[in-house]
Amino acid sequence: MPAFAYKARKADGNVVHGVVEAEEQKIAVDRLRLQKFVVLEISEKTSSLLDPLLALLKRKGSVGSKDLVIFSRQLSTLVSAGVPIVQGLSILESQADNPAFKEVLGLVRGDIEGGLSISDALKKHPDAFPELYTAMVKAGELGGILDAILERLTSYLENSEALRAKVKSAMMYPIIVLTICASVTVFLMVFVIPTFKAIFAGFGAELPLITQLFIDLSDIMKKYFPLIIASPWLGYKGFQKFYKTPYGQHWCDGKALNLPVFGPILKKVAVAKFTRTLGTLVKSGVPIMQALETVAATAGNVVISDVIFATRESIREGGRLSDPLKKSGIFPNMVTSMIAVGEETGSLDVMLAKIADFYDMEVDAAVKGLTSLIEPLVIVVMGLVIGTIVVAMFMPMFGLGELAGNLDK
């Protein structure tokens, strides 16, 4: 969208400079006039090769989910108290600790003052306000229940954040321990075993097979040490590139749902997220077709998204919500049965909320069980790896007397 640099006088007489985005210059002038600016000069801003670099330097970080939760809770309170939306945004902008979010709120406030609806103003900043957020705000605007919608949004975001935190906490411990284990193993193989190799070379005797294998592996790792250090980063970048392809996304997301231990937990997380999001949208008055489209876009798993899109098409053709979900094999029978009952009784949003609450508890229990299982398992694996290396290096020492006798002869 074109940008126009302007010089204008505010209502208090101060002269300000700035940039406004608009389809054409006339629209830009109209937006400035709505903000009670007297336009003195305005011209289209020409782009230069330095603009991407300047934009990069101006970035002040990103907007996190916690910022959005706090903002929603505070804005809901202000709107419920009868504070006008522009004034409320101005208050929250001044209180924002995150510089990036403060900047976004200032732009949103300016767009609303310029005549845009709240949802359209939020939609211009997808990195801060996801599609689900703007869809619910739009439903709140149309229904005149913005305060209630913001309250539901806050509850939804808090539940989603709690669910995400549970999964992260379950994964953090094994990742840290495995990283330490890998680092210690590489250190022993590259820096410690070569010292033993020099000692064993003076004995002039054949080494045990396992010791010789570790020494040969140490030679290889020492030779390619820079590549070993860079391999985690190269692997991560390679995975990112592969995952960005349509085939890579489908393959990875499908395999993730079928993993031996983590797959069932990921399915429970997917069910909890789907039911919570769809229930919140339906309860907020968002049409079912639009709600399913929003849920599919925010599912976080391509396989789940495909199922939701197939469900949407089924409903478009006159089918029911529960049938395609049952055919997918991802959603358990209990879930699809409760959704079917909700459809028949006209209480779909209530049923979806009950399912989400149940699966939140299921995820919590599964995460605790996984954590209690992984902790000793990881410690045992780390002990076996490092212990095997230590034993392999000290095995020749057990026959040190015999080797020394051979040297005397």
Side-chain angles (χ1 to χ4, degrees):
M1 185 178 293
F4 297 88
Y6 66 85
K7 176 182 178 183
R9 182 181 291 111
K10 296 173 65 176
D12 57 9
N14 292 327
V15 176
V16 295
H17 297 78
V19 177
V20 61
E21 292 184 351
E23 290 78 4
E24 56 185 34
Q25 184 170 316
K26 182 179 181 301
I27 297 175
V29 172
D30 291 340
R31 286 185 180 177
L32 292 171
R33 286 175 178 169
L34 285 171
Q35 299 178 53
K36 299 181 180 179
F37 286 0
V38 177
V39 180
L40 303 176
E41 296 176 8
I42 187 167
S43 59
E44 185 172 355
K45 186 181 177 184
T46 57
S47 59
S48 69
L49 296 175
L50 294 177
D51 282 348
L53 178 60
L54 292 174
L56 183 64
L57 293 174
K58 285 176 67 178
R59 288 182 62 183
K60 300 180 178 68
S62 59
V63 178
S65 55
K66 289 184 179 179
D67 295 319
L68 197 57
V69 170
I70 295 171
F71 165 77
S72 302
R73 175 66 69 190
Q74 293 175 334
L75 185 60
S76 172
T77 304
L78 291 170
V79 172
S80 299
V83 178
I85 190 69
V86 173
Q87 185 180 348
L89 288 171
S90 180
I91 293 170
L92 297 180
E93 180 188 355
S94 64
Q95 295 177 351
D97 295 327
N98 187 334
F101 199 38
K102 183 188 286 287
E103 183 178 343
V104 168
L105 292 180
L107 294 172
V108 169
R109 178 177 53 80
D111 286 333
I112 294 173
E113 289 177 337
L116 283 181
S117 66
I118 302 171
S119 56
D120 288 339
L122 298 178
K123 196 179 292 185
K124 292 177 65 176
H125 307 279
D127 293 337
F129 301 99
E131 184 178 346
L132 167 69
Y133 200 98
T134 55
M136 288 187 64
V137 169
K138 185 174 183 179
E141 285 183 290
L142 295 175
I145 52 170
L146 184 59
D147 54 342
I149 292 294
L150 289 171
E151 182 67 30
R152 290 173 196 163
L153 257 175
T154 305
S155 299
Y156 168 80
L157 292 171
E158 288 173 346
N159 288 324
S160 298
E161 186 65 24
L163 185 63
R164 192 181 298 112
K166 290 173 188 175
V167 177
K168 280 185 178 180
S169 65
M171 297 301 299
M172 191 60 66
Y173 179 82
I175 288 173
I176 291 174
V177 174
L178 288 174
T179 301
I180 294 173
C181 178
S183 302
V184 171
T185 302
V186 170
F187 176 79
L188 291 174
M189 296 294 292
V190 175
F191 297 103
V192 177
I193 290 182
T195 304
F196 282 89
K197 179 184 177 182
I199 296 173
F200 297 153
F203 292 158
E206 185 178 353
L207 298 174
L209 177 61
I210 188 170
T211 305
Q212 189 61 53
L213 286 174
F214 274 108
I215 288 175
D216 294 340
L217 183 59
S218 173
D219 291 337
I220 295 172
M221 292 180 69
K222 192 173 181 181
K223 183 178 179 181
Y224 298 102
F225 181 64
L227 183 61
I228 292 172
I229 294 297
S231 60
W233 183 82
L234 293 173
Y236 175 71
K237 288 296 181 182
F239 174 78
Q240 273 190 326
K241 189 173 182 180
F242 174 68
Y243 189 75
K244 286 180 179 178
T245 64
Y247 172 78
Q249 277 190 322
H250 279 274
W251 188 87
C252 293
D253 288 347
K255 293 294 182 183
L257 293 174
N258 294 314
L259 288 173
V261 178
F262 296 97
I265 296 179
L266 292 176
K267 285 183 180 180
K268 289 176 181 178
V269 171
V271 171
K273 185 175 182 181
F274 167 77
T275 52
R276 178 78 64 192
T277 308
L278 183 60
T280 305
L281 288 168
V282 171
K283 187 175 182 180
S284 302
V286 178
I288 186 66
M289 299 298 289
Q290 183 185 345
L292 286 170
E293 185 177 355
T294 302
V295 172
T298 57
N301 185 297
V302 175
V303 176
I304 302 292
S305 296
D306 288 345
V307 172
I308 298 171
F309 277 124
T311 303
R312 185 173 180 270
E313 289 304 311
S314 174
I315 293 175
R316 186 195 297 275
E317 295 170 2
R320 299 199 313 171
L321 176 64
S322 55
D323 294 336
L325 297 178
K326 188 174 184 178
K327 290 179 183 177
S328 69
I330 296 174
F331 294 85
N333 289 332
M334 186 270 286
V335 173
T336 55
S337 298
M338 289 184 69
I339 290 175
V341 171
E343 287 182 291
E344 292 173 2
T345 59
S347 56
L348 181 61
D349 57 332
V350 176
M351 283 296 183
L352 289 170
K354 289 183 181 296
I355 296 170
D357 291 338
F358 174 77
Y359 271 89
D360 279 346
M361 292 188 291
E362 284 281 298
V363 170
D364 194 19
V367 165
K368 287 179 180 178
L370 180 63
T371 304
S372 61
L373 173 67
I374 283 181
E375 287 182 9
L377 186 63
V378 169
I379 291 173
V380 169
V381 170
M382 184 172 65
L384 284 174
V385 172
I386 297 176
T388 303
I389 295 174
V390 172
V391 170
M393 291 303 100
F394 278 93
M395 280 183 68
M397 299 297 183
F398 300 150
L400 186 58
E402 183 181 347
L403 292 172
N406 293 336
L407 288 174
D408 292 339
K409 293 176 183 181

